[in-house]
Amino acid sequence: MNPVTDKAYVATFEGISVISGVAGGGYLNTGDMPVDVAVNTVTNKIYVSEIGGKVTAVDAATNAMTSVAVGAEPYLLRVNESTNKIYVGVKDGVTIINGATLATSFVALAGGAQDIVVNPVTGKAYVLSGGSIKVIGANGTVVGDHIVGAAGVLALAINPATNKVYATTSVRYGPSLLVIDGTSDTTTSTIPSSKRLGIVAVNPATNRIYVATDSTSSSGGIIVFDGVTQAETATITTDTTVKAVVVNHTNNKIYVPTYNGGTTVIDGRTNSHYAVYTGSLPVAAAVNTTTDRVYVVSYGRASVGIIDATVERPVKNDFNGDGFADVLARDASGVLWLYPGDGTGGWLTRVQVGQGWNVMTALVAPGDFNGDGNADVLARDGGGLLWLYPGTGSGEWMPRVQVGAGWAGMTAIESVGDFNGDTFVDVAARTASGVLWVYRGNGYGGWLPPLQVGTGWNGMSEITGVGDFNGDGAPDVVARDGGGVLWLYPGNGSGGWLQQRWTGSSWNGLDSLVGPGDFNGDGQSDILARNSAGELWLYAGTGGTVWPTASRVGTGWGGMTAIL
């Protein structure tokens, strides 16, 4: 990523694709198949390692190319912009290229180079070689060596502001985070962990260390360490294993692509987080620290997902425009009430926002259906007509608009968020025969052709869209079967499903399930459920595979004929 020119460079099987901002910016054919790519933002030079044993240096201004022989099986590329040196991991060591002259020197390492981090202040490079750490001084010779044990070290990161190097160690030698002083190149602290550790990254502006961890299940997570106290300050769960950790020190946000395709976005100030779907099997990620755009390469999609961190995440059920998720409820007389959420799992004073709604046989809160930035409502009347009630963002409605007919045969109509990944909110509807259809919104109050996404759903007594409940960036659905078992159907981000998951039994006592979005303000989608006694319970989503414990957030809801 070159934030100066706002261009991202992606190594593909055929060459280097150039992304300029959010659009295609061209293609570089450097010859042999690229393996890795790096940029010197000071000189505007691009370096491409290739399977033929060379690195191609590209002048990004003119696209002039020069090939440099570096040795067998070149892979990793790292640039020290202060010294204009390029470090290339090869089969049996590290080749160092002088960026000004393209002259090379070689440092032999029997274990090769699995990772390289450079300190632009001291000029040192730290190389993960065969599970140990080799320190290459500014003069290009090995000046230090850290051996934990065979294949003991897993990953490296450096904080040039404090001249500290961080390394994670394998379970075989006790999972831990090593703290290495960059002046003496000695280990000054060993912080043990009860979990397996992996990728590590540092925010030099806050002196926080972010370490990937995985569990015995398929979920993963991030442990946050304070660089001063060396204490753990937070653990953030991700739905699947972590594949990369990227830090933007300018806005204090951390981006964590995970295996299933969700990129978890962490606010470094509060550790609150949410996920954005960027494509399955991520293999690389980079951030433009100037524009706050994050680029995530998805091998599963053969694409690059781009997150614009300057765009506020929409709040699904924010009907009054205060930034917090709300709930709408219709009473037996047809009055529609707005229960404003306070952003922490509680309520503000309710407000009447309509009457005469008892003629409606289905009510749905899809989010922003017409693309004006405000939360809307869809309602089906007794004749099967579907109406859009556009929200104003201040707890009121603009004139309703008919957006469909023939919906009387649907036995369930539910919000499913952006189910197919086109950025527009969608609606799911079940026919009497049990076929489940997703009616794709077009982003401005209309429809694209529907997609059939399942059969046999007539055995479900409740179907509810719950947003991204498992934290992988894609919206999910929960459904209760006739035996009272509740199932989570995770969306795959592109109009299909991942493997359904059992979440609990004895749910027959709950007669209404609602997916309001993030009700308690922690960045995760939640579920509200009403029991036969009229109590409302909050199941606060945490992401990952663990089902949350419920807490009661209301009583006296038994008289409501619809909750959304």
Side-chain angles (χ1 to χ4, degrees):
M1 184 72 235
N2 189 339
V4 178
T5 61
D6 193 20
K7 289 184 178 180
Y9 300 92
V10 183
T12 72
F13 288 121
E14 292 79 22
I16 301 297
S17 292
V18 184
I19 301 174
S20 183
V22 295
Y27 171 80
L28 298 173
N29 183 359
T30 57
D32 291 338
M33 182 186 295
V35 181
D36 197 12
V37 59
V39 178
N40 187 329
T41 65
V42 176
T43 63
N44 198 19
K45 297 288 177 63
I46 308 157
Y47 300 92
V48 183
S49 60
E50 299 170 334
I51 61 172
K54 65 179 182 179
V55 166
T56 297
V58 184
D59 186 323
T62 64
N63 285 345
M65 302 182 188
T66 306
S67 292
V68 181
V70 294
E73 301 179 16
Y75 177 51
L76 291 171
L77 285 172
R78 298 291 185 268
V79 175
N80 186 333
E81 294 187 341
S82 297
T83 62
N84 197 13
K85 290 182 178 179
I86 301 91
Y87 296 81
V88 188
V90 295
K91 180 180 180 180
D92 50 1
V94 174
T95 297
I96 305 173
I97 304 174
N98 184 314
T101 65
L102 299 184
T104 64
S105 59
F106 179 69
V107 180
L109 299 173
Q114 292 77 54
D115 195 8
I116 305 171
V117 295
V118 297
N119 188 332
V121 178
T122 65
K124 291 180 179 179
Y126 297 81
V127 183
L128 176 55
S129 178
S132 63
I133 304 172
K134 308 292 183 181
V135 186
I136 301 177
N139 62 357
T141 62
V142 176
V143 297
D145 195 356
H146 290 260
I147 301 176
V148 175
V153 179
L154 300 176
L156 301 174
I158 194 166
N159 187 344
T162 61
N163 196 17
K164 293 287 193 299
V165 181
Y166 299 93
T168 53
T169 62
S170 67
V171 172
R172 179 179 178 183
Y173 299 97
S176 63
L177 179 67
L178 303 182
V179 183
I180 300 170
D181 178 76
T183 300
S184 62
D185 291 322
T186 58
T187 301
T188 57
S189 300
T190 300
I191 307 171
S193 173
S194 60
K195 300 179 180 179
R196 295 184 295 181
L197 303 179
I199 301 168
V200 57
V202 179
N203 187 342
T206 63
N207 199 14
R208 294 289 189 273
I209 304 100
Y210 299 86
V211 184
T213 178
D214 54 24
S215 65
T216 54
S217 67
S218 61
S219 63
I222 293 290
I223 299 177
V224 185
F225 292 89
D226 185 304
V228 176
T229 65
Q230 299 182 6
E232 293 185 16
T233 59
T235 298
I236 298 163
T237 301
T238 58
D239 76 305
T240 48
T241 53
V242 172
K243 307 303 291 184
V245 183
V246 178
V247 173
N248 186 349
H249 66 275
T250 63
N251 65 1
N252 196 11
K253 289 187 177 179
I254 300 87
Y255 304 90
V256 184
T258 60
Y259 179 83
N260 272 355
T263 293
T264 298
V265 181
I266 303 171
D267 186 330
R269 298 167 303 172
T270 62
N271 291 323
S272 63
H273 57 283
Y274 62 92
V276 178
Y277 189 78
T278 51
S280 61
L281 305 180
V283 292
V287 61
N288 186 328
T289 55
T290 300
T291 65
D292 292 337
R293 290 194 187 99
V294 184
Y295 300 80
V296 182
V297 180
S298 164
Y299 182 80
R301 270 190 168 185
S303 65
V304 177
I306 304 174
I307 302 171
D308 189 340
T310 64
V311 177
E312 289 292 329
R313 186 189 185 204
V315 179
K316 175 182 176 290
N317 270 34
D318 179 19
F319 293 104
N320 62 358
D322 63 358
F324 306 135
D326 310 316
V327 170
L328 293 172
R330 179 186 64 190
D331 65 25
S333 66
V335 173
L336 192 66
W337 297 91
L338 170 65
Y339 288 80
D342 65 4
T344 61
W347 308 98
L348 303 177
T349 303
R350 75 174 186 173
V351 180
Q352 181 178 334
V353 292
Q355 59 185 1
W357 285 72
N358 47 358
V359 300
M360 296 300 177
T361 58
L363 298 176
V364 181
D368 177 19
F369 187 72
N370 64 354
D372 65 356
N374 301 319
D376 306 318
V377 166
L378 291 169
R380 179 186 64 187
D381 65 23
L385 299 180
L386 195 66
W387 297 90
L388 169 66
Y389 288 80
T392 63
S394 58
E396 298 176 334
W397 312 106
M398 293 187 285
R400 72 178 187 174
V401 180
Q402 183 181 331
V403 293
W407 286 70
M410 298 299 179
T411 58
I413 305 173
E414 294 295 336
S415 163
V416 289
D418 176 20
F419 191 73
N420 66 332
D422 64 358
T423 74
F424 307 135
V425 297
D426 308 316
V427 172
R430 179 186 61 189
T431 67
S433 62
V435 176
L436 192 67
W437 294 86
V438 167
Y439 287 82
R440 298 179 295 162
N442 64 10
Y444 51 91
W447 307 99
L448 300 173
L451 299 173
Q452 182 178 330
V453 296
T455 59
W457 285 71
N458 47 357
M460 298 298 180
S461 58
E462 178 87 29
I463 301 173
T464 302
V466 291
D468 176 24
F469 196 72
N470 64 353
D472 65 357
D476 309 316
V477 168
V478 294
R480 181 184 60 201
D481 64 25
V485 175
L486 192 69
W487 298 89
L488 177 70
Y489 289 82
N492 67 6
S494 56
W497 307 101
L498 302 176
Q499 180 63 46
Q500 72 186 72
R501 193 170 76 226
W502 176 89
T503 60
S505 56
S506 302
W507 281 74
N508 280 334
L510 298 167
D511 58 14
S512 182
L513 300 178
V514 183
D518 175 22
F519 186 69
N520 64 353
D522 64 355
Q524 305 297 297
S525 293
D526 306 316
I527 295 175
L528 292 170
R530 179 184 64 185
N531 64 17
S532 57
E535 297 172 328
L536 200 64
W537 292 82
L538 171 65
Y539 291 82
T542 58
T545 59
V546 178
W547 190 257
T549 301
S551 59
R552 192 173 67 177
V553 293
T555 58
W557 287 72
M560 297 300 176
T561 59
I563 305 173
L564 61 153

